[in-house]
Amino acid sequence: MDRITTYLLRRSESTRKDNYGKAISIAALALIGIVVVLIFAFVFTKGIATFTTNKVNLWKFLTGTTWNPSVVDPKTKLPYVGALPMIAGSFLVTLLAAAVATPFAIGTAVFMTEIQPRRGARLMQPVIELLVGIPSVVYGFIGLTVVVPFLRSIFGGSGFGILAGTIVLFVMILPTITSMTVDTLRSVPRHYRESALAIGATRWQMISKVVLRAATPGILTAVVFGMARAFGEALAVQMVIGNAALMPTSLTTPASTLTSILTMGIGNTVMGSLQNNVLWSLAMILLLMSLVFNLIIRWIGRKGELK
């Protein structure tokens, strides 16, 4: 092989840089994948110990309404570890917050993209970015100082409960749903609007019948994304919900969520004890619900692509 052939077959500098960048990308991807798998494996190993080591019945754990892991039922000789009050509390605050936030988010997004695009973006965009950046503890402190006393003065009682948690979560997930809805509305092709107006549709008919309908998968994705954040929120909800492991009987009585019980109890239990294992089981439920939310988001996105 002569020198010219050797020179032509030699890898160029650009090829070496490409291979180097590809190797770094694959290594980063592999590292992220390994971390995710390890997190799932660790949480599941700890979470199932309640059912394998402590012999707690899975069905009774999910449907039981009494939560007091330190006390043993004299009839069954098993501790009171019914997680249904926390599961119900988590779903209630999440669903109610999403139900309240969604109309406000869609209305704000329509104003920013269809009614007053320039003024809306100039006025509302900084507000949304500011709300996204506020730490959750600040939301919780405002809820504790303003929302809880306000509800106490209106409905009586302590003021803590599902309603206080819903109001705090509503403010917290509103910018998330709004910003994602704005991006979705802006991605609707311009000729959709022009075609609707060309056949005689009014501006409101164009928005409601064409733009919002075309953006429905993206809006649903934004709502589910906001619900995922609300379901996993811990500190702010813990400060206003009351942290009573009881089945919610009204919106204004103290209740609890999976995250609030976890944050209160995880530092006060001994690793490997039943009291610690049941908290890991609650964490496993949270992880599974996060996975479900992600699957729903991917499913909605795939349905949107088909349309």
Side-chain angles (χ1 to χ4, degrees):
M1 187 178 293
D2 56 15
R3 289 182 57 190
I4 297 177
T5 304
T6 304
Y7 178 77
L8 292 175
L9 293 177
R10 191 178 61 181
R11 288 185 177 180
S12 65
E13 183 67 20
S14 299
T15 303
R16 282 198 295 272
K17 288 182 178 179
D18 287 345
N19 292 335
Y20 184 66
K22 188 185 297 183
I24 292 177
S25 300
I26 293 175
L29 184 65
L31 179 62
I32 293 173
I34 291 172
V35 169
V36 172
V37 171
L38 288 178
I39 289 175
F40 270 83
F42 182 77
V43 174
F44 273 81
T45 302
K46 292 288 185 181
I48 62 174
T50 302
F51 316 108
T52 58
T53 304
N54 303 115
K55 307 300 180 185
V56 173
N57 184 279
L58 175 60
W59 178 250
K60 290 184 178 178
F61 177 78
L62 294 176
T63 59
T65 57
T66 304
W67 179 264
N68 195 349
S70 300
V71 178
V72 176
D73 186 350
K75 294 181 180 179
T76 61
K77 306 300 181 184
L78 292 173
Y80 294 104
V81 288
L84 187 58
M86 288 76 76
I87 296 174
S90 294
F91 275 102
L92 273 175
V93 293
T94 300
L95 294 175
L96 289 174
V100 177
T102 300
F104 286 93
I106 294 176
T108 305
V110 167
F111 178 80
M112 293 175 62
T113 58
E114 306 296 331
I115 299 175
Q116 291 287 346
R118 293 182 180 178
R119 185 180 301 175
R122 189 168 62 248
L123 295 178
M124 298 305 299
Q125 194 66 36
V127 175
I128 292 173
E129 293 172 356
L130 179 65
L131 290 175
V132 171
I134 295 177
S136 59
V137 65
V138 177
Y139 282 113
F141 193 64
I142 293 174
L144 189 63
T145 308
V146 178
V147 177
V148 170
F150 175 75
L151 295 178
R152 186 187 302 137
S153 65
I154 299 296
F155 300 103
S158 64
F160 295 96
I162 298 290
L163 186 57
T166 299
I167 294 173
V168 172
L169 283 179
F170 153 68
V171 179
M172 293 184 69
I173 67 174
L174 181 62
T176 302
I177 301 177
T178 302
S179 59
M180 293 183 68
T181 304
V182 167
D183 293 338
T184 301
L185 294 181
R186 285 175 178 164
S187 67
V188 175
R190 184 180 179 83
H191 64 265
Y192 280 30
R193 300 173 175 84
E194 295 173 345
S195 300
L197 295 174
I199 61 175
T202 64
R203 191 181 190 185
W204 172 242
Q205 288 173 331
M206 180 268 291
I207 294 173
S208 61
K209 302 294 184 183
V210 178
V211 177
L212 289 180
R213 182 163 297 183
T216 298
I219 295 173
L220 290 176
T221 301
V223 174
V224 176
F225 198 85
M227 291 175 63
R229 188 194 173 187
F231 199 85
E233 178 55 41
L235 189 56
V237 176
Q238 180 195 344
M239 295 172 72
V240 299
I241 200 168
N243 304 309
L246 303 171
M247 279 300 291
T249 55
S250 75
L251 297 180
T252 54
T253 56
S256 61
T257 63
L258 293 168
T259 52
S260 67
I261 294 297
L262 270 173
T263 52
M264 286 197 310
I266 200 69
N268 301 316
T269 57
V270 178
M271 186 68 76
S273 64
L274 181 139
Q275 291 79 11
N276 185 264
N277 289 338
V278 292
L279 294 178
W280 281 108
S281 299
L282 297 183
M284 185 173 66
I285 295 174
L286 272 174
L287 196 61
L288 288 174
M289 284 309 304
S290 299
L291 186 62
V292 169
F293 280 125
N294 282 328
L295 292 176
I296 292 174
I297 291 172
R298 292 177 65 85
W299 180 76
I300 292 173
R302 196 173 296 122
K303 296 288 285 184
E305 289 177 0
L306 292 176
K307 290 179 178 179

